[in-house]
Amino acid sequence: MKEEKLTPVEKARRERLKKLKPRVYEKVIKYSEKVKRGESIAIIQFQYDYRCNFRCVHCDVANFMKKKTDRYFTLEDVKRLSKEGDELGLANIVITGGEPLVFPDLEKLIEAIDPNKWYIVMDTNGWYLDKEKVRHLKSLGVDKIQLSLDSLNPEEHDAFRRKKGAWERAMRAIDACLEEDMYIIVATVVWKERAKSQEFLEFVKFLNNKGVGVFVTFAKPVGAWERNLDVVCGNEEWNYLKELEKKYNVFTHLTPGYGIDVGCIAMKRMISITKFGDVMPCPYIHVSIGNFFKESLKDIIERGLKIKWFAYGKKWPCLIANKDAPFIEKVMPKIWGKVGPVPWQEVFSEEDFIQ
């Protein structure tokens, strides 16, 4: 990875990582070489538990909770996941759910992940996040907060999250992170109608003025929005966001980091693991490439990288959040209407694998 490709902000964060978590730093600086070898550098989005204090309109994991199984992650399983991921040279993990701050064993979970080996991000709706909690999370080894916010209008945000007072608590959480020097970004859902709106532009400006970057999560036709293609953006909206990135601190999962651009990041730069051990290409492609309780993480990732949609080579646009990409038309009908994640054998055939 060439140092000149790092932005000043990236350089500063890299130096901070080198100081605080040298083992993680050593893995991260090898990312570009791993990509050249066709290896995954995936962030692990870890859906450890689905309990939550919100019932959001756009919840994408509601379908998973219908799965009937007694096998789910224990802390011993988490330790094995940490070990196998570390051996693969992976360095980033996102604790999500559900709402992590309602997990009764959150501290033990972070300990099982082993903060010395991982850059740990935690998703949250902000309801329980105040300055004392931020300080505590930092002491446990959490490096970054990704907080969900849907509007500058309190009533609209609360309606979207189906929780009165959610906006006020979220704003308190943002200020708490800033005051306690916890790295925070705001994640916001953008659908077709919102993408080019003045409201969204003002949203970005407001948070940037507070010193907070905005991570755009584009609407996908899964979960509560299954089959709803009216909310899905196309090339027009994606191109608009690319232009916006030149002026503001706003980014998507396709925004290159450290000079690395792999197109759609499914399997290559992101995997998602459910509470029940299913490993998906990303949080929104509800296909199980394998189950962690039955196979090694290495074998599952290698299988995923052999599927043409997720393999290195062709730089697809986002497969699941761009209606102009062929994936939604060709693959998603095999997934919709089923309790997910759907086993890969039911979705992909021999022709979907690279030779």
Side-chain angles (χ1 to χ4, degrees):
M1 189 176 297
K2 296 181 180 179
E3 192 70 16
E4 65 267 22
K5 289 185 177 180
L6 301 180
T7 66
V9 172
E10 288 172 331
K11 286 182 180 178
R13 289 179 188 151
R14 182 69 62 81
E15 288 303 311
R16 180 184 176 101
L17 184 63
K18 184 177 182 179
K19 178 181 179 181
L20 297 178
K21 294 189 174 183
R23 183 165 179 172
V24 179
Y25 170 81
E26 289 300 323
K27 289 189 285 186
V28 170
I29 62 173
K30 296 176 182 177
Y31 271 3
S32 61
E33 291 303 316
K34 286 175 66 64
V35 170
K36 289 178 183 177
R37 294 194 298 267
E39 299 173 8
S40 177
I41 55 170
I43 299 168
I44 297 178
Q45 196 246 22
F46 186 28
Q47 302 172 8
Y48 176 69
D49 196 337
Y50 294 129
R51 65 187 81 193
C52 187
N53 58 323
F54 283 12
R55 291 294 179 268
C56 301
V57 169
H58 62 298
C59 180
D60 64 286
V61 299
N63 192 32
F64 296 169
M65 289 181 271
K66 300 175 185 176
K67 186 164 184 173
K68 307 247 185 246
T69 179
D70 294 327
R71 185 69 167 101
Y72 50 85
F73 266 93
T74 65
L75 293 175
E76 287 303 312
D77 294 322
V78 175
K79 291 177 183 178
R80 181 168 76 87
L81 176 63
S82 172
K83 180 177 182 295
E84 291 192 18
D86 179 56
E87 290 172 349
L88 290 173
L90 306 183
N92 304 72
I93 192 165
V94 181
I95 301 172
T96 188
E99 166 55 47
L101 289 179
V102 303
F103 297 172
D105 55 351
L106 179 60
E107 291 188 18
K108 293 181 179 179
L109 169 63
I110 295 171
E111 181 182 359
I113 291 172
D114 192 347
N116 291 322
K117 296 178 182 176
W118 294 88
Y119 184 85
I120 299 177
V121 182
M122 195 183 77
D123 281 344
T124 182
N125 55 44
W127 186 268
Y128 292 110
L129 193 62
D130 54 20
K131 287 198 289 186
E132 182 179 353
K133 183 68 72 173
V134 171
R135 287 194 294 269
H136 184 55
L137 290 173
K138 287 182 67 174
S139 73
L140 295 175
V142 174
D143 300 285
K144 177 180 173 182
I145 295 294
Q146 181 169 292
L147 184 137
S148 300
L149 187 69
D150 301 305
S151 174
L152 295 182
N153 183 302
E155 290 76 20
E156 289 181 0
H157 177 78
D158 291 0
F160 209 52
R161 297 287 164 174
R162 292 174 176 159
K163 188 82 167 182
K164 186 174 177 58
W167 187 89
E168 184 178 353
R169 293 280 192 117
M171 296 307 297
R172 180 194 67 176
I174 292 171
D175 290 338
C177 288
L178 293 173
E179 291 173 22
E180 295 298 326
D181 193 30
M182 169 68 88
Y183 180 35
I184 180 173
I185 63 172
V186 161
T188 193
V189 178
V190 170
W191 54 96
K192 185 175 179 63
E193 184 180 359
R194 189 186 188 206
K196 299 174 69 175
S197 68
Q198 185 64 28
E199 176 273 328
F200 175 63
L201 183 59
E202 294 303 321
F203 181 93
V204 171
K205 289 179 179 179
F206 173 81
L207 287 161
N208 281 188
N209 286 338
K210 291 177 72 70
V212 178
V214 175
F215 173 61
V216 172
T217 299
F218 280 105
K220 292 110 179 156
V222 297
W225 279 342
E226 184 173 295
R227 303 177 191 266
N228 186 357
L229 299 183
D230 291 338
V231 300
V232 181
C233 294
N235 288 334
E236 180 182 347
E237 289 78 24
W238 277 92
N239 290 334
Y240 172 78
L241 257 294
K242 287 180 183 178
E243 291 302 313
L244 215 59
E245 288 181 31
K246 298 175 182 178
K247 301 178 182 179
Y248 302 100
N249 185 8
V250 57
F251 44 93
T252 72
H253 59 282
L254 287 184
T255 303
Y258 309 126
I260 298 175
D261 180 7
V262 297
C264 180
I265 65 174
M267 294 305 307
K268 299 181 287 294
R269 189 71 178 95
M270 167 71 74
I271 59 172
S272 184
I273 304 181
T274 74
K275 174 181 178 177
F276 308 113
D278 291 302
V279 180
M280 304 183 296
C282 86
Y284 311 104
I285 299 176
H286 295 170
V287 178
S288 177
I289 304 300
N291 191 286
F292 180 71
F293 302 144
K294 299 176 181 179
E295 301 179 85
S296 70
L297 186 62
K298 179 177 184 293
D299 287 346
I300 295 170
I301 289 176
E302 286 181 352
R303 176 185 298 127
L305 289 176
K306 291 176 182 177
I307 297 172
K308 69 178 183 180
W309 299 101
F310 315 128
Y312 283 104
K314 184 175 177 60
K315 290 184 180 179
W316 297 100
C318 181
L319 296 172
I320 190 66
N322 187 328
K323 68 179 182 181
D324 294 320
F327 188 85
I328 293 178
E329 177 186 354
K330 293 185 177 182
V331 179
M332 291 308 295
K334 301 176 184 178
I335 302 171
W336 287 331
K338 299 179 181 179
V339 174
V342 182
W344 64 269
Q345 299 93 329
E346 298 179 19
V347 178
F348 300 114
S349 62
E350 185 177 348
E351 65 181 20
D352 289 303
F353 283 78
I354 59 174
Q355 301 302 314

